[in-house]
């Protein structure tokens, strides 16, 4: 499902301007969530776009709360420098920067469209993977 | 170097040995607590920078050991070409240091591109210019070494794949203020900036089979009975502490002390905010040299530039305000009193100096923080905090009136309004009667907007179209540029002017040949690469 979704986003990406894309993304998202929960018969009620995990995989409180820091991400992905190792062939390496160990979710947004934050100031030729994993 | 016993002392809860030294700057080094600079490397506390005992058996041996993979890397190539083995040690996990994130510009007077373009220049004139442009904090010997070796260094880089172009429209930084400057040509830039420059250098290093050890900081120098440097101790991620012999010499090119708070506070004349060098530039090479009695030069200096304080994804950071933004018409700097304090269109290093006014009437830095104020006409045309026209961010403090903006930023509103009124008159007349902005050819050629036919002065525009925007600006740096005192062979000297055999320094680890000035774009990488090459050639001559 996640794979399909990212393909669709790519399709949308090529054809629409950003605003339209966002609206369309939401429509796709909603329809896919409905499709996803019924078709895949998942136990959870809502899915996270990046990993297809349940809410409680990251938020372990009854009422999900905003998470601080990278602890939850790194509990699966290892240390920040291990993550940097995975992208060491990229130029520049997005996980080695003057921001130090930056918030993972600043770019990889579990609940929204991911954004390569560095390019708010820079102009690197790097695109976010739509759905990593 | 005499050791006067060992004192146990508790630093940060850890028992460390501190030797006391009696000679040279080692005493200064101790006062600064060199023994207390504990690096937490690979989860292990190690005692850095103190001269360590000679190993009974060397773990590795090379002719030339280069410490730091920025500008110093060139030395390894040159040594290898002369038939000697070399290694590059790098503390970070990444290659290239600050050099790789830089603009990649080199300042090379009378270079081949100038000749091709028919721009006349001479080394004699360049010497005269640089001598004045270093403001008494360099020496004829170092300036000659720079000027005479600049072209051979550039040519060597070009032979190895470097493809620079003349950096348009960069005039020398004191063009119009100091004689024998050039309005174009001495600064050369590769299209892909520092990343491309250091990719070229890396390819050349790899092609020569020169090993590069990442995550392997040198921690101290190893000397023989005569005091000559014969190797280094380093920390290897796989092998732990290793001794590396340097048969011909060690080049310290570990950058400046930008990220060593203690050194910044004790050496620099004022605070530096959001230093732009890579975070691993913590003064290691300078401390290692101090620890064996090296002299220092230019420690009160940085390659300065102002930084705007911006917030991206919740994180505050300094966005360098070189000139592309600050110097454009419709942008001014004011202090908390709403008063201007500089020519906003001068070169960035000179502009940074104007922040450092300790005002005894308020017993504080009068111009820190300062504020960059612009209007909507400005924002339609130019970037602001690196954000393109049209992009709005909360930290821009968008306000309908100047009064409101002053309130948000904590600026005296009356002061700001009076200043803006005055600037608007200046803009109309085309003359900045306070700071002479746009009078010097440098201002107009390099930073002015020559397309603004609506303005009498390409650097001066009115600030009158709401909404208005403002951010805090601080004095920042591209790198500190004081360090070990070197001679024209890049050899490190003691306070008595004696050469420390086997020890060389280049780049921001050495007292800069440009002293307290910044002759032109590329002078800092120039100083690094030129003196790295000189060091390697000198090591190659050793018999
Ligand atoms: C954004 C930006 C743009 C710039 N543009 C230009 C430009 O166009 N032209 C110009 O002339 N200057 C420019 N500068 C300044 C210039 O980049 C620096 O002054 C220069 O790169 C310093 O070179 P260096 O070799 O001394 O230090 P660095 O390039 O920082 O290299 C030092 C290296 O040593 C390593 N190191 C530190 N300690 C140890 C240790 N104990 N053991 C092993 N390795 C160690 C560091 O990790 C680092 O990689 C710019 C700076 C910035 C920030």
């Amino acid at each position: 499902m996640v794979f399909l979704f990212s393909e669709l986003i790519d399709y949308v990406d090529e054809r629409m301007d950003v605003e339209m894309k966002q609206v369309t993304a939401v429509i796709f998202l909603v329809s896919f969530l409905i499709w996803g929960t019924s078709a895949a018969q998942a136990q959870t009620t809502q899915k996270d776009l990046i990993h297809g995990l349940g809410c409680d995989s990251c938020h372990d409180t009854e009422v999900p709360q905003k998470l601080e820091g990278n602890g939850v991400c790194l509990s699966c992905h290892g240390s920040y420098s291990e993550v940097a190792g995975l992208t060491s062939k990229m130029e520049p390496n997005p996980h080695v920067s003057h921001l130090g160990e930056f918030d993972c979710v600043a770019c990889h947004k579990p609940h929204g469209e991911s954004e390569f934050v560095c390019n708010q100031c820079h102009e690197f030729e790097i695109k976010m993977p739509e759905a990593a994993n | 170097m005499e050791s006067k016993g060992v004192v146990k002392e508790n630093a940060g809860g850890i028992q460390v040995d501190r030797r006391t030294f009696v000679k040279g700057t080692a005493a200064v080094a101790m006062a600064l607590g060199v023994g207390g600079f504990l690096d937490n490397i690979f989860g292990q506390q190690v005692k850095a920078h103190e001269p360590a005992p000679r190993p009974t058996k060397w773990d590795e041996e090379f002719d030339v050991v280069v410490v730091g993979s920025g500008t110093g890397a060139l030395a390894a190539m040159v040594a290898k070409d002369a038939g000697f083995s070399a290694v590059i040690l790098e503390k970070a996990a990444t290659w290239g240091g600050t050099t790789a994130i830089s603009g990649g510009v080199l300042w090379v007077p009378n270079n081949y591109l100038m000749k091709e373009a028919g721009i006349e220049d001479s080394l004699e004139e360049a010497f005269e210019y640089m001598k004045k442009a270093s403001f008494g904090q360099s020496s004829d010997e170092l300036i000659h070494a720079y000027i005479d070796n600049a072209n051979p260094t550039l040519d060597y880089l070009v032979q190895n794949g470097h493809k620079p172009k003349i950096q348009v429209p960069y005039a020398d930084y004191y063009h119009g203020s100091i004689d024998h400057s050039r309005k174009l040509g001495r600064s050369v830039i590769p299209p892909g900036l520092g990343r491309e420059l250091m990719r070229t250098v890396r390819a050349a290093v790899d092609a020569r089979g020169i090993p590069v050890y990442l995550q392997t900081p040198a921690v101290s120098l190893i000397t023989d009975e005569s005091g000559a440097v014969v190797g280094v101790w380093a920390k290897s991620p796989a092998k732990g502490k290793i001794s590396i012999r340097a048969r011909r010499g060690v080049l310290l090119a570990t950058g400046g002390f930008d990220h060593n708070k203690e050194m910044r506070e004790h050496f620099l004349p004022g605070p530096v905010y959001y230093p732009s060098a890579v975070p691993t530039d913590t003064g290691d090479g300078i401390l290692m040299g101090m620890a064996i009695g090296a002299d220092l030069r230019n420690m009160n200096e940085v390659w300065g530039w102002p930084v705007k304080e911006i917030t991206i994804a919740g994180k505050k950071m300094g966005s360098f305000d070189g000139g592309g933004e600050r110097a454009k018409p419709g942008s001014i700097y004011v202090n908390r009193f709403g008063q201007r304090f500089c020519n906003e269109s001068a070169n960035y290093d000179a502009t940074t100096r104007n922040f450092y006014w300790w005002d005894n009437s308020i017993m504080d830095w009068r111009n820190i923080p300062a504020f960059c104020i612009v209007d909507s006409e400005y924002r339609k045309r130019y970037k602001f905090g690196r954000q393109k026209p049209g992009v709005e961010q909360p930290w821009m403090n968008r306000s309908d009136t100047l009064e409101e903006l002053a309130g948000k930023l904590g600026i005296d509103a009356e002061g700001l309004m009076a200043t803006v009124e005055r600037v608007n008159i200046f803009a109309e007349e085309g003359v900045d009667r306070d700071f002479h902005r746009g009078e010097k050819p440098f201002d107009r050629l390099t930073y002015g907007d020559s397309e603004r036919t609506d303005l009498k002065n390409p650097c001066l525009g009115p600030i009158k179209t709401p909404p208005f925007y403002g951010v805090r600006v601080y004095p920042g740096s591209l790198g500190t540029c004081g360090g070990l005192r070197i001679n024209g062979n890049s050899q490190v000297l003691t306070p008595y002017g004696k050469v420390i055999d086997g020890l060389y320094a280049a780049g921001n680890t050495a007292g800069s040949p440009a002293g307290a000035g910044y002759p032109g774009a590329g002078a800092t990488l120039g100083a690094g690469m030129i003196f790295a090459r000189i060091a390697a050639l000198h090591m190659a001559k050793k018999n």
Side-chain angles (χ1 to χ4, degrees):
Chain A
M1 179 197 115
V2 170
F3 172 71
L4 247 180
F5 179 74
S6 74
E7 270 194 341
L8 277 164
I9 285 285
D10 280 345
Y11 172 86
V12 173
D13 222 331
E14 277 166 30
R15 285 162 185 77
M16 300 190 185
D17 63 23
V18 180
E19 224 168 287
M20 266 307 290
K21 193 177 87 184
Q22 278 164 355
V23 175
T24 322
V26 171
I27 297 169
F28 278 148
L29 167 59
V30 171
S31 41
F32 267 90
L33 285 174
I34 295 164
W35 176 83
T37 31
S38 54
Q41 298 183 347
Q43 323 83 314
T44 46
T45 52
Q46 203 181 6
K47 291 245 172 186
D48 143 1
L49 284 181
I50 290 190
H51 300 84
L53 297 170
C55 309
D56 58 358
S57 307
C58 300
H59 305 271
D60 59 0
T61 44
E62 196 139 324
V63 180
Q65 279 175 356
K66 191 175 175 349
L67 295 169
E68 298 292 338
N70 290 334
V72 166
C73 306
L74 295 182
S75 66
C76 291
H77 291 280
S79 69
Y80 202 94
S81 52
E82 279 176 64
V83 175
L86 296 174
T87 51
S88 62
K89 291 262 143 46
M90 290 170 75
E91 272 204 38
N93 186 338
H95 298 109
V96 178
S97 78
H98 59 101
L99 301 175
E101 299 199 354
F102 202 43
D103 284 358
C104 303
V105 296
C107 296
H108 305 276
K109 294 194 176 21
H111 302 296
E113 197 175 344
S114 291
E115 178 201 356
F116 186 49
V117 166
C118 300
N119 276 4
Q120 284 194 15
C121 295
H122 300 277
E123 283 162 18
F124 298 130
E125 282 176 18
I126 289 179
K127 281 209 178 106
M128 291 297 295
E130 278 303 341
N133 293 2
Chain B
M1 193 50 50
E2 252 173 77
S3 170
K4 272 219 168 174
V6 175
V7 188
K8 286 271 185 201
E9 155 170 337
N10 199 303
I14 301 145
Q15 287 287 331
V16 291
D17 292 343
R18 295 185 73 172
R19 292 183 181 82
T20 33
F21 298 98
V22 288
K23 278 188 190 162
T25 45
V28 184
M30 289 309 297
L32 267 170
V34 169
F37 283 108
L38 295 174
D39 284 1
N40 191 334
I41 303 162
F42 317 120
Q44 213 183 324
Q45 293 283 358
V46 299
K47 192 169 38 157
H49 316 308
E50 278 193 34
R54 239 173 310 154
T56 43
K57 187 178 160 292
W58 294 99
D59 292 311
E60 304 198 21
E61 299 194 26
F62 295 91
D63 294 313
V64 173
V65 174
V66 175
V67 186
S69 72
T71 58
L74 208 64
M77 290 161 58
V78 174
K80 191 77 184 193
D81 289 351
F84 300 106
S85 65
V87 65
I88 300 171
L89 308 181
E90 170 53 56
K91 177 160 79 172
T94 45
W95 159 263
T98 314
T99 308
I101 61 162
S102 77
V105 182
L106 291 165
W107 189 73
V108 181
N110 202 22
N111 63 65
Y112 72 97
L113 291 166
M114 294 174 83
K115 286 178 194 142
E116 282 171 21
I119 304 170
E120 171 280 327
D121 196 2
S122 77
L123 298 188
E124 293 72 26
E125 279 193 81
F127 175 84
E128 291 305 322
Y129 172 73
M130 190 167 174
K131 191 168 160 72
K132 291 224 172 66
S134 49
F135 301 97
Q137 274 189 210
S138 182
S139 68
D140 285 6
E141 182 181 352
L142 292 187
I143 296 169
H144 270 304
Y146 185 112
I147 300 289
D148 297 346
N149 289 282
N151 279 298
T153 306
L154 178 64
D155 296 346
Y156 181 72
L157 278 165
V158 169
Q159 282 158 26
N160 282 283
H162 184 48
K163 291 191 187 74
K165 294 191 164 63
I166 286 178
Q167 189 190 20
V168 182
Y170 268 69
D172 282 346
Y173 281 177
Y174 310 99
H175 184 54
S177 311
I178 293 180
D179 286 346
H180 308 296
S181 60
R182 284 295 176 276
K183 70 172 181 188
L184 193 71
R186 287 176 175 169
S187 300
V188 301
I189 185 170
L193 313 183
R195 203 135 33 94
E196 180 180 310
L197 173 62
M198 288 314 284
R199 207 189 293 136
T200 305
V201 170
R202 182 61 194 260
V205 162
D206 289 347
R208 285 166 175 77
I210 298 166
V212 177
Y213 296 168
L214 297 178
Q215 289 182 296
T216 307
V219 291
S220 55
L221 296 166
I222 303 170
T223 50
D224 68 10
E225 340 27 52
S226 74
V229 171
V230 291
V232 300
W233 283 104
K235 288 286 294 181
S236 149
K239 298 177 213 144
K241 206 161 180 184
I242 51 170
S243 59
I244 305 177
R245 184 175 175 195
R247 288 188 212 98
R248 288 182 172 262
V250 171
L251 172 66
L252 295 174
T254 62
F257 54 91
D258 305 71
H259 294 278
N260 184 324
K261 187 165 172 285
E262 190 171 4
M263 288 179 82
R264 280 202 321 262
E265 286 169 355
H266 285 273
F267 288 119
L268 298 178
V272 169
Y273 293 78
Y274 301 110
S276 302
V278 290
T280 40
D281 286 358
T282 49
D284 298 9
I286 299 169
L287 292 166
M288 284 189 261
M290 287 166 78
I292 64 158
D295 196 9
L296 302 172
R297 279 291 183 270
N298 218 40
M299 290 299 283
N300 59 333
E301 275 300 325
V302 303
W303 309 103
W305 63 14
V307 289
K308 288 189 168 116
E309 188 176 71
I310 69 173
T311 306
I312 299 293
K315 192 145 178 158
K316 269 192 188 172
M317 63 189 82
S319 159
F320 68 83
D321 199 6
E325 297 188 5
R326 152 180 65 84
K328 294 286 181 274
S331 144
I332 53 166
Y333 278 3
V334 297
N335 59 24
R336 77 193 80 156
F337 306 101
Q339 297 159 341
R340 284 175 73 214
F341 58 90
C342 64
N343 164 9
E344 295 89 344
S345 299
N347 80 65
Y348 41 85
D349 182 69
T351 303
T352 307
R353 286 169 191 274
N354 284 39
F355 284 77
Y356 294 110
W357 175 10
W358 177 265
D359 181 355
N360 71 356
S361 74
I362 55 169
M363 291 298 178
D364 198 359
W365 296 106
R366 189 173 177 88
N367 303 325
I368 302 174
F371 308 86
C372 181
I373 309 292
V374 303
D375 74 348
S376 289
E377 271 304 312
Y378 172 97
R379 287 239 49 216
K380 265 198 337 219
R381 296 182 159 89
Y382 313 111
K383 285 188 180 177
F384 187 63
R386 303 200 83 177
Q387 310 302 299
K388 293 193 181 113
V391 177
E392 300 278 339
Q393 298 267 20
W395 47 262
M396 293 175 177
N397 297 299
R398 177 189 161 119
S399 304
D400 289 332
T401 64
L402 285 169
E403 237 170 335
E404 185 190 336
L405 184 63
K408 282 183 190 165
L409 288 167
I411 306 171
D412 179 77
E414 270 178 37
L416 178 64
M417 288 191 297
T419 296
V420 168
E421 204 174 308
R422 194 167 163 80
V423 166
N424 290 348
I425 296 169
F426 292 171
E428 207 163 296
E429 294 172 344
V431 180
D432 173 4
R433 279 187 262 142
D434 293 335
F435 293 96
H436 306 281
R437 179 170 173 175
E439 276 176 30
K440 299 278 188 297
F442 171 86
D443 305 6
R444 293 196 297 275
L445 288 168
T446 305
Y447 289 150
D449 185 348
S450 53
E451 282 165 22
R452 293 287 297 271
T453 47
D454 58 319
L455 300 173
K456 282 199 181 140
N457 179 331
C459 301
L460 265 183
I463 300 176
K464 56 183 179 200
T465 313
F468 302 98
Y469 298 81
V471 294
R472 282 186 174 71
V473 271
Y474 293 94
S477 77
L478 300 81
T480 58
C481 61
L484 303 176
R485 177 182 166 197
I486 55 170
N487 65 16
N489 297 321
S490 305
Q491 291 172 289
V492 176
L493 306 177
T494 69
Y496 314 107
K498 208 176 139 273
V499 164
I500 300 177
D501 240 354
L503 188 62
Y504 299 78
N508 293 343
T509 304
S512 169
Y518 202 138
T524 113
L525 292 181
M529 293 202 163
I530 293 166
F531 282 82
R533 178 176 163 278
I534 292 174
L537 291 176
H538 193 265
M539 287 188 229
K541 276 198 300 217
K542 181 174 172 175
N543 41 36

